[in-house]
Amino acid sequence: MTATDQRFREFKMPDVGEGLTEAEILKWFVAEGDTVADGQVVCEVETAKAAVELPIPYDGVVHQLRFGEGTTVDVGTVIIAVDTDPGAGPAEAPAAAPEPAEPAAEGGEGGEEGRKAVLVGYGAAPSSTKRRARKAQPNTAAVNGAQAAVQAELNGHAAPEPAPEPVSRETPAAAEPVTDGRPLAKPPVRKLAKDLGIDLATVVPSGPDGIITREDVHAAAAPAPTPTSAPEFDVAPAPAVPAPAPETVAAARETRVPVKGVRKATAQAMVQSAFTAPHVTEFITVDVTRTMKLVQELKQDPDMAGVRVNPLLLVAKAFLVAIKRHPEVNASWDEENQEIVQKDYVNLGIAAATPRGLIVPNIKDAGAKTLPQLAESLGELVATAREGKTSPADMAGGTVTITNVGVFGVDTGTPILNPGESAILAFGAVKEQPWVHKGKVKPRQVTTLALSFDHRLVDGELGSKVLADTAAILERPKRLITWA
């Protein structure tokens, strides 16, 4: 390592998640020339899973920010350079990236050295035009003889003897010069001629070295003028301004939003889940009047002081008790080993809508928590998600999920599984509805639950039992005690 390398330290985009390959720079907290200390947060990046703050591991002065905000950078790419010894005077910092090699000078030796790298192949050599001219350099009489031969063939009679004198370029007497029996034209011009149905052998070239140009093809495609002049009003004039295409009009009223970060990860995960795990969704409508009364009572309970109590808390507890009664539902599918992995722990995911998109952090070992502990974990999870501070670790390892669509006034839905999980419960809106209670129709608070599960892991009977038990607990919440 040189002295310059030791002085200017480069910080690369780290893998802040589990095997992530890129991250977007959301915000820089420093600028070039700012002093930074080891461990100081210099930027915030967004991965496919979360927004993460990155600390710098050096002391010094910011020498260069390699990328601006909003740029997506691959993991392992240098994003910032720090001068760790700014008092040592000016020094040449390491280059950000090697500059592409200049192409060889025209006419240099070696055919391949003079070529410039392109996406496919090596591209055209700079001297290709001159080589074409040299190939067409045999004496003028031979060229004109070939021209006469082509013209004669087009006219339908035998080729005459080569003319002893050259033909003037101003009055070409034949079609294009021929090299190896093929007209000289670039590929786009050949394609244009093919699209217009023009035989290049009939086109008179006007380009240098006898090359056919696009204008030559268009001229050949133009209809020949008629000997008698027709009245101009017989021909419909072209519109002065062409009408815009429907696509152009529609595009002016559309906004394109780049798909990246959490939105990109969510889209990929949902497609993977929907087309990998065979989904089955079951529904049940239940009277939750007693549960809603219990929510109000728990809000006044001293043991629940300082934590948020809401219907979602009791739905989560009911779901956990149902899973404890039917532990086979808490599993995952191992495609590579063709095994079902039964899990003795429940990491309960809670789908959260954030400004960055949908994320699903989970409560680790939720099944082992008491109701106050579960309420505290749920509150922390929601607060962290709203602040955009959910870490990748908080979203890893989920086993089952709850999505609370009721907060949007929706009765229910058919939720898609989080990849790698076995089930997801949708909790719909709680509404007052007429309900038969103790033989009479009364207004009761009613909701609808929907359970989607992976049919490779969970058959209809098991899924039905889990959903029915969850509903039964919400109908009579004292079962939280008797069944737990």
Side-chain angles (χ1 to χ4, degrees), residues 385-399:
R386 287 176 177 172
E387 295 172 359
K389 303 298 183 182
T390 303
S391 68
D394 292 335
M395 292 185 284
T399 60

Side-chain angles (χ1 to χ4, degrees), residues 7 71 84 90 100 112 141 159 256 294 319 374 386 398 409 423 446-447 454:
R7 174 177 172 180
T71 306
T84 59
E112 298 301 328
R256 292 181 175 269
L294 179 59
F319 192 30
L374 185 63
R386 287 176 177 172
V446 178
T447 189
D454 186 343

Side-chain angles (χ1 to χ4, degrees), residues 127-138 209:
S127 59
S128 58
T129 303
K130 289 190 175 183
R131 289 176 183 170
R132 188 187 301 274
R134 288 197 296 269
K135 290 179 68 177
Q137 275 185 356
D209 302 323

Side-chain angles (χ1 to χ4, degrees), residues 66-346:
R66 296 286 175 85
F67 299 95
E69 296 178 353
T71 306
T72 299
V73 182
D74 291 337
V75 169
T77 303
V78 176
I79 59 174
I80 182 174
V82 176
D83 185 353
T84 59
D85 190 11
E92 184 178 354
E99 294 295 332
E102 292 295 332
E106 184 175 346
E109 294 181 2
E112 298 301 328
E113 293 180 0
R115 299 191 180 188
K116 183 178 180 181
V118 294
L119 187 61
V120 178
Y122 294 93
S127 59
S128 58
T129 303
K130 289 190 175 183
R131 289 176 183 170
R132 188 187 301 274
R134 288 197 296 269
K135 290 179 68 177
Q137 275 185 356
N139 59 60
T140 311
V143 173
N144 292 328
Q147 292 176 339
V150 172
Q151 186 63 47
E153 183 178 352
L154 293 174
N155 294 337
H157 54 74
E161 290 295 326
E165 295 182 0
V167 179
S168 171
R169 282 185 178 271
E170 285 73 10
T171 55
E176 57 151 341
V178 178
T179 301
D180 297 333
R182 188 182 187 195
L184 299 180
K186 295 181 180 179
V189 178
R190 294 185 182 278
K191 183 178 185 303
L192 175 63
K194 181 180 179 181
D195 294 341
L196 296 178
I198 301 300
D199 184 359
L200 287 177
T202 66
V203 178
V204 179
S206 64
D209 302 323
I211 297 177
I212 298 174
T213 65
R214 298 178 65 91
E215 290 74 16
D216 297 336
V217 175
H218 283 299
T226 56
T228 57
S229 59
E232 292 184 0
F233 56 83
D234 289 344
V235 181
V241 179
E247 294 80 2
T248 305
V249 176
R253 302 171 62 186
E254 298 173 348
T255 301
R256 292 181 175 269
V257 179
V259 179
K260 54 186 178 180
V262 174
R263 176 65 61 187
K264 181 178 180 180
T266 301
Q268 293 172 343
M270 294 300 96
V271 171
Q272 174 190 349
S273 177
F275 292 97
T276 301
H279 284 55
V280 173
T281 305
E282 295 184 337
F283 307 89
I284 190 169
T285 303
V286 57
D287 177 5
V288 293
T289 304
R290 292 186 177 94
T291 292
M292 300 304 290
K293 289 181 180 179
L294 179 59
V295 168
Q296 298 304 318
E297 293 173 3
L298 289 175
K299 288 181 178 181
Q300 308 302 322
D301 193 319
D303 292 334
M304 302 297 290
V307 296
R308 185 179 181 183
V309 179
N310 55 22
L312 179 61
L313 172 63
L314 295 186
V315 171
K317 191 62 177 178
F319 192 30
L320 291 169
V321 172
I323 293 172
K324 186 175 182 180
R325 286 168 57 85
H326 308 283
E328 300 86 356
V329 75
N330 189 43
S332 63
W333 182 271
D334 187 342
E335 180 67 27
E336 182 177 356
N337 296 315
Q338 288 295 293
E339 294 175 341
I340 294 176
V341 183
Q342 296 285 350
K343 300 179 180 180
D344 297 330
Y345 58 91
V346 180

